[in-house]
Amino acid sequence: MLQTLSELKCLDSSIYHLPTLDIAKKLLGCILIKETTEGTAAGIIVETEAYIGPEDQASHSFQNRRTKRTEAMFGRPGTTYMYTMHTHNLFNVVTGKIDQPEAVLIRAVEPIYNIDLIRKRRSKITKDTHLTNGPGKLTKALGIDMADYGHDLTHSPLWIASYNTPTSEVVSGPRIGIDNAGDAKDYPWRFWLKHNKYVSK
DNA sequence: TTTAAGATGTACT
DNA sequence: GTACATCTTAAAT
């Protein structure tokens, strides 16, 4: 648990120009911070998934499908792509150059700052490990919503900071929840910190 | 304008 | 294991 965020340094924008799969790995161990009128909360990113639009049947931007919804994926790397799934908002970091619709879905974080606010926002949850271990859970816990669509992640109120190099090993495997995505469902484009208790199941 | 499906989460059997 | 909440997008009528 951090007592202050003042020591944190915003992730350098050059990282977002790396290949998408590299970014998915490098974001692990970084800190995602959201500031709201309610307060500021933050978590360590412990699980990600890569979506590489043109060649990825599981992506909303498969074969460069460009619609009002996917527009942000075609924008600058280092901005956000948000998607509403049933009652939940899912948060992605846009990667790839302009007009290359690629993104990294943040699937889970480990609460590290203002966990009281996170518990309040997830009031029905009793176990801390269940507060943020899913893509819809962490957005609710941190107060991220559709108003953050297209936001630049190098600026307040929503930003990503570098942190300690992850102590645990990065492992990969197939992505989750895309059973009808043909061959793409088997691509090992999900990355997480081994043995971390806050990774989704 | 109507309909169907979804990168999920929670409650319940 | 199954049901369903609840809403937007996008495709079909």
Side-chain angles (χ1 to χ4, degrees):
Chain A
M1 184 74 176
L2 290 179
Q3 299 310 313
T4 172
L5 298 176
S6 60
E7 312 279 306
L8 293 182
K9 285 206 174 62
C10 185
L11 206 57
D12 190 90
S13 59
S14 63
I15 192 177
Y16 298 117
H17 295 276
L18 295 171
T20 297
L21 293 176
D22 290 348
I23 297 172
K25 280 176 269 193
K26 281 187 179 282
L27 285 178
L28 296 173
C30 293
I31 297 187
L32 177 63
I33 303 113
K34 175 68 193 277
E35 302 160 9
T36 73
T37 52
E38 262 186 314
T40 299
I44 304 172
I45 297 171
V46 298
E47 182 180 1
T48 62
E49 281 182 3
Y51 286 84
I52 302 180
E55 57 185 278
D56 181 0
Q57 200 175 149
S59 173
H60 299 144
S61 55
F62 178 51
Q63 291 178 335
N64 288 302
R65 204 159 76 107
R66 186 165 189 158
T67 64
K68 186 182 171 193
R69 179 177 66 168
T70 61
E71 186 61 33
M73 285 182 101
F74 292 81
R76 278 184 27 244
T79 57
T80 71
Y81 168 56
M82 302 288 306
Y83 162 56
T84 303
M85 169 60 171
H86 290 265
T87 55
H88 309 286
N89 296 318
L90 276 58
F91 168 73
N92 296 248
V93 177
V94 174
T95 60
K97 298 188 178 77
I98 300 265
D99 289 337
Q100 291 180 3
E102 305 180 13
V104 174
L105 169 69
I106 307 302
R107 283 197 60 86
V109 304
E110 173 179 341
I112 193 174
Y113 181 79
N114 208 348
I115 195 165
D116 288 338
L117 177 57
I118 290 174
R119 289 197 188 103
K120 185 178 142 207
R121 284 173 171 151
R122 305 264 302 135
S123 53
K124 292 182 195 151
I125 306 302
T126 51
K127 295 174 82 153
D128 282 356
T129 51
H130 293 180
L131 291 170
T132 54
N133 65 338
K137 297 180 187 179
L138 72 91
T139 55
K140 183 159 190 229
L142 297 183
I144 299 170
D145 57 33
M146 288 308 285
D148 295 306
Y149 185 94
H151 171 75
D152 184 336
L153 286 167
T154 60
H155 295 98
S156 169
L158 176 61
W159 51 289
I160 296 177
S162 55
Y163 192 52
N164 301 333
T165 305
T167 49
S168 75
E169 192 183 339
V170 173
V171 287
S172 65
R175 292 172 293 176
I176 291 180
I178 54 167
D179 287 347
N180 52 358
D183 293 342
K185 75 174 166 45
D186 298 320
Y187 298 171
W189 287 355
R190 173 174 172 246
F191 303 92
W192 67 96
L193 296 180
K194 196 172 183 179
H195 300 139
N196 188 288
K197 296 190 297 288
Y198 295 86
V199 170
S200 70
K201 302 182 186 52

